[in-house]
Amino acid sequence: MASSQTFVIIGASLAGAKAAETLRSEGFADRLILIGEEPVRPYERPPLSKDYLRGEKGFDETAVHTAEFYDQHAIELRLSTVVTGLDVAHGRVTLASGERIGYDRLLVATGSTPRRLSVPGADLDGVRYLRTVADSDELRRALEGRPQVVVIGAGWIGAEVAASARQLGSEVAMLDVASVPLERVLGPEVGAIYRDLHAEQGVDLHFGVGIEALAGSGTVEEVRLTDGTRLPAQLVVVGVGVQPRVELAQAAGLHIDNGIAVDEHLQTSAPSIYAAGDVANAYHPRYRSSIRLEHWSAALNQGPVAARNMLGSSIVYDRTPYFFSDQYDLGMEYRGWAPIFDRVVFRGNPASREFIAFWLHQHRVVAAMNANVWDQGDAIEALLASHAPVDPDRLADPHTGLTEITRWDRQEIP
Ligand SMILES: Cc1cc2nc3c(=O)[nH]c(=O)nc-3n(C[C@H](O)[C@H](O)[C@H](O)COP(=O)(O)OP(=O)(O)OC[C@H]3O[C@@H](n4cnc5c(N)ncnc54)[C@H](O)[C@@H]3O)c2cc1C
């Protein structure tokens, strides 16, 4: 590498900003450029569907760093700037303005973007998506008039927006093709807890149905479901998942596989390029599989690992997947990865909304969710990391410490 180097980060959000911070804290003293298409400095997105949306938190509280941080650390923060091209052979990126910037190391942290609805009427006014702080600001303004809201998609963002809209006094309907909210990740048993929670809070729920069309003259007025139901709507919020922003990397010839494919060091198929956060499909040694995590904690922790590896380290990213959600008075943390499970065990009564749910596969805990229980994180981590078979009765018994459960002898498996 040249004596004075340039490191470029595409994507000025959580993964990118944490990577920039780490490069400086690890002693990188040369040119560091953080490029982002949004007009504001990097911020965390989780509040956008929660307290920020409800007007309980301001932008400064969700920003990753203070406004002064970037100057203080000589990080060239280029906002409202879109990278339109990546030339791997020559080691340079092209901006929408035509400017070219050479790099010695590049981090792609371009995140993800909401999937769009493709039914008739999807482009009517009043149909909204939520990804950016600008989206959240617009949504908050729209919610001020307490419109009738229809939320399409009962995943995390849909469910959290439904909760916030109810808390702000709107009538809310929520629908999904699944049988319960959050079914894809949590499965039917735990998803049912969220269904009951939203029903209790007065959300009009429609599950196992699709959308036929959105109707209205100019502005949305009605959502038509495949079962014939017609839901009046002045505001529609679509939360039907996200897709990784791989366009640049793909056009540049990097290996793409459900995101930018990276190894356990977050290195792409091009040695001087790394990827982190929502866009990265990273090989996870514990699961012997590549996983793309659309979670805050992956962006928070992968950015720094990528940064250290850009500086020459060989750190493996092997953290337990983690995410959290807050809906009404139900807060939860989920750890692990459970693409397949054969049993769910509850510790505590789910009806009390103070419990831990464990997902088991072949007698081993593969994921756990603590709901309104906040002091068991380390024990859950240890349980997941041990990969030891467990006794479901002891797992369910709140009087048995979680650390004792991991000691269950393999011979005792029924
Ligand atoms: C409303 C909402 C609520 C959420 N709540 C939770 C939660 O409760 N818990 C949880 O674990 N996770 C939550 N998440 C997910 C979490 O916010 C994401 O996983 C995280 O933001 C990913 O960070 P990232 O840095 O990888 O990418 P992103 O945050 O998507 O940022 C990527 C950035 O790159 C920019 N960019 C992309 N392409 C270019 C380009 N060509 N040129 C320049 N800039 C570019 C984008 O504009 C964007 O600013 C939530 C997300 C949303 C939207």
Side-chain angles (χ1 to χ4, degrees), residues 11 13 15 37-38 45 50 83 111 131 277-278 294-296 324:
S13 185
E37 71 182 359
E38 292 182 63
R45 294 179 204 275
K50 309 179 184 72
V83 178
R131 184 72 198 173
D278 274 22
E294 297 163 355
H295 306 321
W296 168 87
F324 62 93

Side-chain angles (χ1 to χ4, degrees), residues 2-177:
S3 54
S4 178
Q5 299 170 38
T6 300
F7 281 17
V8 172
I9 300 171
I10 311 175
S13 185
L14 184 57
K18 293 306 283 186
E21 176 193 317
T22 306
L23 286 168
R24 286 302 187 227
S25 65
E26 291 290 308
F28 179 69
D30 291 345
R31 192 169 182 211
L32 176 53
I33 310 172
L34 176 57
I35 306 172
E37 71 182 359
E38 292 182 63
V40 291
R41 72 184 192 271
Y43 58 91
E44 302 193 3
R45 294 179 204 275
L48 303 185
S49 49
K50 309 179 184 72
D51 39 8
Y52 183 88
L53 177 62
R54 296 193 298 271
E56 297 161 12
K57 195 177 210 177
F59 179 78
D60 283 347
E61 292 163 87
T62 190
V64 182
H65 298 109
T66 60
E68 299 77 35
F69 173 87
Y70 300 94
D71 278 351
Q72 283 166 354
H73 292 83
I75 297 166
E76 291 177 42
L77 180 59
R78 309 273 296 259
L79 299 176
S80 303
T81 303
V82 181
V83 178
T84 51
L86 166 56
D87 180 345
V88 178
H90 295 98
R92 65 188 178 208
V93 296
T94 306
L95 309 184
S97 62
E99 184 186 348
R100 286 179 179 168
I101 303 173
Y103 64 80
D104 294 281
R105 293 278 182 275
L106 176 72
L107 175 65
V108 184
T110 46
S112 55
T113 190
R115 284 212 174 85
R116 314 300 281 191
L117 210 59
S118 59
V119 297
D123 53 357
L124 285 167
D125 285 348
V127 179
R128 293 179 183 277
Y129 296 81
L130 176 55
R131 184 72 198 173
T132 65
V133 72
D135 296 336
S136 185
D137 288 341
E138 282 176 26
L139 194 53
R140 188 186 326 111
R141 280 193 288 276
L143 286 168
E144 272 165 14
R146 297 187 186 180
Q148 283 184 300
V149 182
V150 174
V151 177
I152 298 177
W156 296 110
I157 290 184
E160 288 186 353
V161 168
S164 288
R166 278 302 293 144
Q167 286 168 288
L168 291 172
S170 272
E171 280 180 35
V172 179
M174 179 160 65
L175 62 102
D176 201 298
V177 287

Side-chain angles (χ1 to χ4, degrees), residues 121-276:
D123 53 357
L124 285 167
D125 285 348
V127 179
R128 293 179 183 277
Y129 296 81
L130 176 55
R131 184 72 198 173
T132 65
V133 72
D135 296 336
S136 185
D137 288 341
E138 282 176 26
L139 194 53
R140 188 186 326 111
R141 280 193 288 276
L143 286 168
E144 272 165 14
R146 297 187 186 180
Q148 283 184 300
V149 182
V150 174
V151 177
I152 298 177
W156 296 110
I157 290 184
E160 288 186 353
V161 168
S164 288
R166 278 302 293 144
Q167 286 168 288
L168 291 172
S170 272
E171 280 180 35
V172 179
M174 179 160 65
L175 62 102
D176 201 298
V177 287
S179 63
V180 290
L182 308 160
E183 185 173 26
R184 190 176 60 83
V185 178
L186 302 183
E189 282 167 281
V190 180
I193 297 168
Y194 281 94
R195 177 199 59 208
D196 297 347
L197 175 68
H198 281 278
E200 264 173 36
Q201 297 289 337
V203 178
D204 176 22
L205 297 171
H206 298 262
F207 286 102
V209 285
I211 311 235
E212 201 173 86
L214 307 184
S217 47
T219 301
V220 69
E221 290 163 22
E222 188 175 84
V223 177
R224 296 180 181 162
L225 308 188
T226 46
D227 65 1
T229 306
R230 292 178 169 214
L231 299 171
Q234 292 156 329
L235 174 66
V236 168
V237 184
V238 182
V240 293
V242 294
Q243 52 194 37
R245 296 189 63 176
V246 295
E247 319 81 73
L248 269 179
Q250 190 157 31
L254 299 187
H255 182 209
I256 305 295
D257 172 20
N258 176 34
I260 302 176
V262 291
D263 64 12
E264 65 272 36
H265 304 115
L266 308 179
Q267 193 171 31
T268 70
S269 53
S272 55
I273 305 179
Y274 293 74

